Structures are given as structure tokens and as C-alpha cells.
Amino acid sequence: MLLQYFQKNNLFVLFVSFLTKFCLRKCVRLCFWASLKSFINSVNPRDYVAIKLGLSQSDPLYEKRSQLLQLLNIPKNGELKVLPAPEHISPELLAFVRVFNMNEEQLQHWISSERATDLLHIDCALETSLESKTWQYLQTRLMLLLRVFPTTLEVDETQLVGVKCGKFQMAQIPAMILEYRILEKRILAAALDYAKQRTKA
């Protein structure tokens, strides 16, 4: 009798239609986040954030800096990598910033040295003042990169949680962009903390 009543008043059709759409949306949402999770790995050690750095030709020490970077096989203008933990700073990025902050005497020393590639290593023996300038420069650069984003990491993470649990609606492409932005910010924020620790050391 109840079924006949629903059918007579077209309520049954409306109910089935609503139920189908509801289940379909849930299924699509679950499939989307499952595929997104497999596509974007939040702990992928091969992830990185590329930052552009370069020498200025107006720098009086431009030629010597270029010469030393060439010995290290590092471009004088290009993109260098900020890495996930535990490395944080790629060897090429670290060496570039060290060269960038050297004075003429230091540049000449390393150009003439047979151990110039030691500059690629985190524990390279350097003057305290140069090492301090290096990590201070990296700290400042990473802070500026994070400030470029219109939102903070905390805001993005809260929004993503809301999207995943269905509290907020977001199309697939913007959701993927949000996920990538969070991964990028996490790498930069962790590298910034690391640079701060090295600056204090």
C-alpha cells in the first residue's frame, strides 16, 4: 500500500532519483580522492620546490663567481632545488649560495683548490662568517617564498580537510592545485626551520 501511494504521487521516482544522485556523488568523491591520493604522494622523497637564482652581471666579482660555479657544474642562472626532509637543501643550492656570498679572497681560494667540490657538502669546512651568511641568505629567501602565497599553510590544510570530508565543495582541478600547494609549502616551511637551526648553530 505504501509503495502504491509513493508511485501514485510520483514520490517513489523522486526518491529513487535523489538516492541515485546522492550515492553517485559519494562514489565519485571517494574515487576522486582515492585517485588523487595515489597520484600525489605527500611523502615522496623525490618531490622538490624549484627556486630561481642567478648572478648579476653588475657584480664586480661576477667573473670569478661564474668560474667557480662552472667548476662545480652549477648554472650561474637557473633553477635549484629545495628538498623534503631530511636533506632540505640540495647540494647545488647550498654551493650556489656559498659562492654567492664569498668575498674575492674566498673565491680565489676555492677556484685554486683541488677540493672545490667540497662546497657541495653540508659539512664543508668554511669560515664561520661565510657559513653564517649562507644560512641567513637561505632563511631570508625561504621566508620570502612562503610570503608570496596568498594563504598560509594552516589555512590550506584546514580547507583540504573540509573538502575531503565533504564540508566544502571544490572542483577536481582546484582541489589538486590545493594539494600541490600544501606539499610545496610543507617543503619550504621545513627547509626554513632547518635554515634557522643552522643559523643558530
Side-chain angles (χ1 to χ4, degrees):
M1 293 293 293
L2 183 61
L3 179 60
Q4 291 177 350
Y5 174 79
F6 271 90
Q7 290 175 333
K8 182 178 180 180
N9 292 277
N10 290 325
L11 294 177
F12 182 75
V13 175
L14 292 174
F15 175 73
V16 171
S17 176
F18 167 78
L19 187 61
T20 301
K21 289 180 180 179
F22 178 79
C23 292
L24 182 60
R25 287 177 182 174
K26 283 290 184 181
C27 181
V28 169
R29 187 179 293 118
L30 289 173
C31 290
F32 163 61
W33 284 115
S35 62
L36 184 61
K37 186 175 181 180
S38 63
F39 184 72
I40 303 174
N41 187 351
S42 60
V43 292
N44 188 349
R46 291 181 293 180
D47 283 336
Y48 65 88
V49 177
I51 62 173
K52 291 184 178 181
L53 291 176
L55 300 179
S56 171
Q57 294 187 7
S58 62
D59 182 354
L61 298 175
Y62 173 81
E63 293 299 333
K64 289 191 175 183
R65 295 193 203 282
S66 298
Q67 184 179 353
L68 182 51
L69 288 174
Q70 187 175 8
L71 290 174
L72 299 171
N73 293 316
I74 299 174
K76 56 188 175 184
N77 292 286
E79 293 186 342
L80 299 169
K81 298 177 181 179
V82 180
L83 304 173
E87 290 84 2
H88 298 293
I89 306 298
S90 67
E92 293 78 14
L93 174 57
L94 180 59
F96 182 96
V97 177
R98 283 170 169 169
V99 172
F100 184 82
N101 283 280
M102 286 182 182
N103 58 34
E104 186 171 8
E105 182 180 352
Q106 291 165 338
L107 286 167
Q108 190 58 53
H109 166 76
W110 286 102
I111 289 172
S112 305
S113 174
E114 295 180 353
R115 304 189 62 178
T117 54
D118 285 359
L119 291 168
L120 293 162
H121 301 296
I122 190 74
D123 295 324
C124 175
L126 294 171
E127 295 178 14
T128 303
S129 60
L130 175 57
E131 193 70 346
S132 178
K133 287 180 181 178
T134 296
W135 290 105
Q136 185 61 55
Y137 178 93
L138 285 168
Q139 181 179 331
T140 302
R141 184 76 185 197
L142 291 166
M143 287 176 63
L144 290 174
L145 287 172
L146 283 168
R147 287 176 183 173
V148 168
F149 293 101
T151 56
T152 64
L153 174 59
E154 292 74 17
V155 169
D156 286 349
E157 288 177 332
T158 300
Q159 186 178 20
L160 184 62
V161 170
V163 172
K164 287 185 176 182
C165 70
K167 185 178 180 180
F168 305 125
Q169 295 295 321
M170 183 176 289
Q172 181 174 349
I173 299 302
M176 292 181 68
I177 293 173
L178 176 62
E179 184 89 350
Y180 273 118
R181 191 168 68 214
I182 289 173
L183 294 178
E184 192 174 40
K185 287 181 181 179
R186 284 175 178 169
I187 291 174
L188 291 173
L192 175 58
D193 288 340
Y194 180 71
K196 288 179 179 179
Q197 293 172 12
R198 299 290 304 198
T199 302
K200 294 177 181 178

